[in-house]
Amino acid sequence: MKTVIAGMILGLVGASAALAGPHLDGKVYAPYVENGVFELEARGAQVNGGPLDGARTTVLEAEYGFSDRLSVALVAPIANDPGKGAKLQGVGVEGVYYLGQIPKLGIDVGLYGEYLGGVNGGEEVVEAKLLLAKRSGPFEGVLNLVVERPLNVPSERFANYSYAAAATWEVADHLRLGVESFGDLGDDYGLKSGGAYAGPVAQWEFHPKGAPLEIELRASWLAALGSSRDDADSQVRLSVGLERRF
């Protein structure tokens, strides 16, 4: 199964055809939920090279696990386009619901939903994701299948389809290394392979001595593939999360 999921991820990473957006606010979501855990997260992504050089987005998120199956979060993306300065794009609410594990396959399944109310000219958006994950020893593979639809843009009253994926291995205590990718899969007018961003990712978790907190750092460098090279050369991503159990 490890080989199957890795093959799915590599197949998606290699997709290249239509123009792909930069996916700067994207994240690879695992379907797992921790009851009673409160998390604050700040994540940022910046485009390097090409017409979008210097564009970046920061997302602030506050999440709480209400049970072993449901977590709810408030989210706020902040866009910073070159020459325009930082601007809050919206405020929204998102939720993750863990459905369970597929018998015999060992694949964990969850659902994600988000409503983002646009501000300062930002889009009002609804988004849904199917969250799939497989764990086997030190390996973890995660695949998100995403559908997103703007609500306040008359010229874009159709859904866009995309994916986010990661495959990581625990190479030392609390340290995971691997690859991740974001890319497009088409829209209501036709499903088709799109451009993508893919590259190495590292994740480190640690507990500060004497503090009831867990800190998670995640960093990646993603190269533009296929038609995404029309937009940029690469992306740099960094996230910091603080977790506490109540």
Side-chain angles (χ1 to χ4, degrees), residues 25 77 79 87-92 114-127 148-158 160:
D25 60 346
K87 183 183 296 185
L88 179 67
Q89 292 293 287
V91 177
E114 179 186 359
Y115 168 78
L116 181 69
V119 299
N120 297 321
E123 291 185 352
E124 181 185 10
V125 174
V126 290
E127 184 177 54
E148 180 183 71
R149 186 176 187 273
L151 299 179
N152 63 343
V153 183
S155 62
E156 295 185 14
R157 293 292 174 86
F158 56 87
N160 296 288

Side-chain angles (χ1 to χ4, degrees), residues 57-92:
T57 296
T58 301
V59 179
L60 305 178
E61 187 173 310
E63 178 184 19
Y64 183 74
F66 288 92
S67 71
D68 291 329
R69 290 187 177 270
L70 176 67
S71 70
V72 177
L74 296 176
V75 60
I78 302 169
N80 194 327
D81 296 326
K84 297 183 179 179
K87 183 183 296 185
L88 179 67
Q89 292 293 287
V91 177

Side-chain angles (χ1 to χ4, degrees), residues 8-207:
M8 291 170 64
I9 292 172
L10 291 175
L12 290 171
V13 166
S16 60
L19 182 65
H23 301 281
L24 293 179
D25 60 346
K27 173 183 174 180
V28 182
Y29 282 85
Y32 310 111
V33 175
E34 294 185 87
N35 185 26
V37 172
F38 177 72
E39 179 179 8
L40 288 175
E41 181 184 72
R43 63 181 187 267
Q46 178 172 309
V47 170
N48 300 311
L52 299 181
D53 182 45
R56 64 182 181 270
T57 296
T58 301
V59 179
L60 305 178
E61 187 173 310
E63 178 184 19
Y64 183 74
F66 288 92
S67 71
D68 291 329
R69 290 187 177 270
L70 176 67
S71 70
V72 177
L74 296 176
V75 60
I78 302 169
N80 194 327
D81 296 326
K84 297 183 179 179
K87 183 183 296 185
L88 179 67
Q89 292 293 287
V91 177
V93 60
E94 65 181 32
V96 173
Y97 187 80
Y98 177 66
L99 294 176
Q101 190 173 92
I102 300 175
K104 298 183 180 180
L105 296 180
I107 296 177
D108 294 297
V109 182
L111 295 176
Y112 167 101
E114 179 186 359
Y115 168 78
L116 181 69
V119 299
N120 297 321
E123 291 185 352
E124 181 185 10
V125 174
V126 290
E127 184 177 54
K129 302 178 183 181
L130 176 64
L131 312 179
L132 304 171
K134 171 68 177 181
R135 288 174 169 172
S136 179
F139 171 81
E140 180 179 81
V142 181
L143 174 63
N144 301 168
L145 299 176
V146 185
V147 56
E148 180 183 71
R149 186 176 187 273
L151 299 179
N152 63 343
V153 183
S155 62
E156 295 185 14
R157 293 292 174 86
F158 56 87
N160 296 288
Y161 303 94
S162 60
Y163 73 87
T168 61
W169 288 261
E170 187 173 21
V171 297
D173 287 344
H174 308 298
L175 175 64
R176 305 189 68 87
L177 300 177
V179 295
E180 72 176 8
S181 176
F182 300 84
D184 290 340
L185 295 173
D187 53 38
D188 283 343
Y189 296 108
L191 296 178
K192 51 187 177 292
S193 296
Y197 292 85
V201 61
Q203 179 178 307
W204 182 41
E205 299 177 358
F206 65 98
H207 299 265

Side-chain angles (χ1 to χ4, degrees), residues 13-20 193-198 223-232:
V13 166
S16 60
L19 182 65
S193 296
Y197 292 85
L225 302 177
S227 57
S228 290
R229 289 177 292 184
D230 296 336
D231 291 339

